[in-house]
Amino acid sequence: MAEVSDEIPQAVMPTYNRIPVAFVRGDGSYLYDHTGKAYLDALTGLAVCGLGHAHPKVAAAIAEQASTLMHTSNLYRIPGQERLATRLTELAGMDNVFFCNSGAEANEAAIKIARLYGHARSIDAPQTVVMDGSFHGRTMATLTATGNRKVHAGFEPLLSGFVRAPYDDVESIEKIAANNKNVVAVMVEPVLGEGGIVIPDPGYLDALRGICDRHGWLLMADEVQTGNGRTGRYFAFQHTSAVPDVVTTAKGLGNGMPIGVCLARGEAAKMLVAGTHGSTFGGNFLACAAANAVVDELTDGGLTERAAELGERMLARFRDRLRGNNVVKEIRGLGLMVAVELHKPCTELIGAAVDAGLLINVTTDTVVRMLPPLTMSDAEADTVVDKVVGLIDDLPA
């Protein structure tokens, strides 16, 4: 076991305000620090470890592949990648896949597809509509696409080629369509994740699909956080009848092993050809071994349906327990994306939860965000609710 120092060494760039706890082991829904204290994990590494920690089948797949062959590059065929591509395209209703290492890289590929698509239509300065409150990544293109000024600050000049619109506002998209002939795509999260687990009206994606069809635009769904069973469907867009032209996902696909994918269909699937894009590590033997094991569990174990059931259980208990609490503004969720929004900032709850042996997150300053593992038991989910309710009840009115 690695030695854990009392302070974070200066050799680590301070890009995070790290919580002063160091985990050394995980098991299912729990993490354990170097003192042996257990923490119930309702965050799963920001929606990454959907199968919980140290999942035996994923661990076995990684160990077997690591002892056989880890990497050769995409100059050669990778059988596990080809199997994973076939499975994901079938699950998403897409034609093909570009493999990379993260959600940001997957979204970067989607943006490049949109620009190639625009140029193929003789649009010299193609533009993509993106939404306020969105989060698409930290690369220059994806941070520009992100609808959060805090993410932009200090990185100007931002890239051109993006048009901003309010989230869940179909009329604003119609107005853009009527006045901007350079738009070629809409990039949207089916549920805003970092933006506070905001769930749009049921007809929102269908309306966007209709607008894109009428104007020849691509509809691109960022499912980096919502994909891989988290919302009660394999992909969140499958709660609707709208099928995107491009779908990106990452996070839960590798259960901790870095992997991202950009799926496409129709004309969008024809844009990236040899020489237009690439990734040294994308879809290598090790990453695809892990992802194939994850897909096995998600498709054969009923975990996607379990996410829907467990999410409803948690929402019902939160609504019952927090009824009449004047600090609470709204309780909402879809599958195992669960949020309790308060009327005031509550970032102090993160540290209080750690002290209580619970891992949660607060996003947009006022939203308690929970992204539990799909493998969590009823009793563990009830404990998450009980602990969060206790923390909120202890806040001054």
Side-chain angles (χ1 to χ4, degrees):
M1 183 181 298
E3 182 178 341
V4 178
S5 64
D6 292 333
E7 296 182 358
I8 299 172
Q10 293 184 359
V12 178
M13 284 191 181
T15 54
Y16 287 85
N17 292 317
R18 297 181 193 268
I19 298 166
V21 58
F23 300 115
V24 297
R25 182 171 67 89
D27 183 11
S29 299
Y30 285 89
L31 286 167
Y32 300 84
D33 69 15
H34 66 292
T35 71
K37 179 179 176 179
Y39 301 77
L40 184 55
D41 188 0
L43 191 58
T44 58
L46 295 171
V48 168
C49 297
L51 302 185
H53 299 287
H55 190 279
K57 292 184 179 179
V58 177
I62 292 171
E64 180 180 358
Q65 190 63 60
S67 65
T68 305
L69 180 63
M70 292 175 61
H71 179 82
T72 61
S73 89
N74 284 293
L75 294 176
Y76 313 101
R77 291 182 63 182
I78 303 172
Q81 181 191 102
E82 294 169 5
R83 176 172 180 251
L84 181 59
T86 300
R87 302 174 82 188
L88 291 175
T89 53
E90 290 174 352
L91 285 165
M94 298 286 122
D95 294 337
N96 57 22
V97 187
F98 172 78
F99 285 92
C100 51
N101 309 290
S102 68
E105 289 183 26
N107 286 332
E108 190 88 11
I111 292 166
K112 291 181 78 170
I113 286 172
R115 294 196 175 193
L116 286 168
Y117 176 77
H119 286 296
R121 300 176 68 205
S122 299
I123 297 175
D124 292 334
Q127 297 185 328
T128 297
V129 178
V130 293
M131 309 305 167
D132 295 338
S134 64
F135 182 85
H136 298 296
R138 299 279 187 175
T139 64
M140 280 306 300
T142 58
L143 77 84
T144 301
T146 292
N148 183 338
R149 177 57 193 152
K150 290 181 180 179
V151 175
H152 301 161
F155 296 106
E156 298 84 355
L158 302 179
L159 300 185
S160 60
F162 297 96
V163 182
R164 305 194 185 279
Y167 188 68
D168 196 18
D169 185 337
V170 175
E171 183 178 350
S172 69
I173 309 298
E174 295 278 19
K175 289 180 179 177
I176 290 170
N179 295 290
N180 191 328
K181 302 306 179 185
N182 289 323
V183 170
V184 298
V186 173
M187 175 176 271
V188 63
E189 294 170 84
V191 176
L192 292 185
E194 298 295 320
I197 306 187
V198 179
I199 303 163
D201 289 340
Y204 180 55
L205 285 185
D206 291 318
L208 292 182
R209 178 72 274 174
I211 294 170
C212 289
D213 288 343
R214 290 195 300 274
H215 296 280
W217 300 350
L218 301 179
L219 178 61
M220 308 196 302
D222 177 347
E223 296 245 14
V224 171
Q225 189 168 138
T226 56
N228 306 294
R230 179 147 296 277
T231 70
R233 299 284 193 276
Y234 197 93
F235 292 103
F237 75 79
Q238 292 165 337
H239 290 280
T240 76
S241 62
V243 180
D245 303 289
V246 177
V247 179
T248 61
T249 196
K251 287 189 181 291
L253 181 58
N255 209 59
M257 179 62 66
I259 184 170
V261 296
C262 178
L263 300 110
R265 69 182 180 103
E267 289 301 309
K270 302 174 184 177
M271 293 297 109
L272 293 180
V273 297
T276 57
H277 200 32
S279 172
T280 297
F281 294 104
N284 73 8
F285 284 83
L286 192 62
C288 288
N292 273 309
V294 170
V295 174
D296 286 344
E297 290 299 295
L298 291 176
T299 55
D300 298 338
L303 288 176
T304 297
E305 295 79 8
R306 171 67 176 163
E309 296 168 1
L310 196 59
E312 285 300 318
R313 179 187 181 95
M314 294 181 71
L315 288 173
R317 288 178 68 87
F318 271 124
R319 287 166 180 153
D320 179 60
R321 296 284 305 280
L322 291 171
R323 185 179 294 112
N325 189 317
N326 294 329
V327 175
V328 176
K329 180 179 180 180
E330 186 179 20
I331 298 165
R332 57 180 180 264
L334 184 64
L336 287 176
M337 298 181 75
V338 181
V340 179
E341 184 174 4
L342 306 186
H343 284 291
K344 61 180 184 178
C346 58
T347 53
E348 69 271 22
L349 292 183
I350 299 173
V354 168
D355 292 342
L358 177 68
L359 304 180
I360 58 171
N361 181 235
V362 172
T363 190
T364 66
D365 293 331
T366 60
V367 177
V368 180
R369 178 172 59 154
M370 288 152 279
L371 303 162
L374 282 60
T375 52
M376 183 171 270
S377 69
D378 287 354
E380 290 168 340
D382 292 348
T383 299
V384 172
V385 174
D386 292 343
K387 286 179 176 287
V388 171
V389 167
L391 293 170
I392 292 174
D393 282 343
D394 287 342
L395 287 172

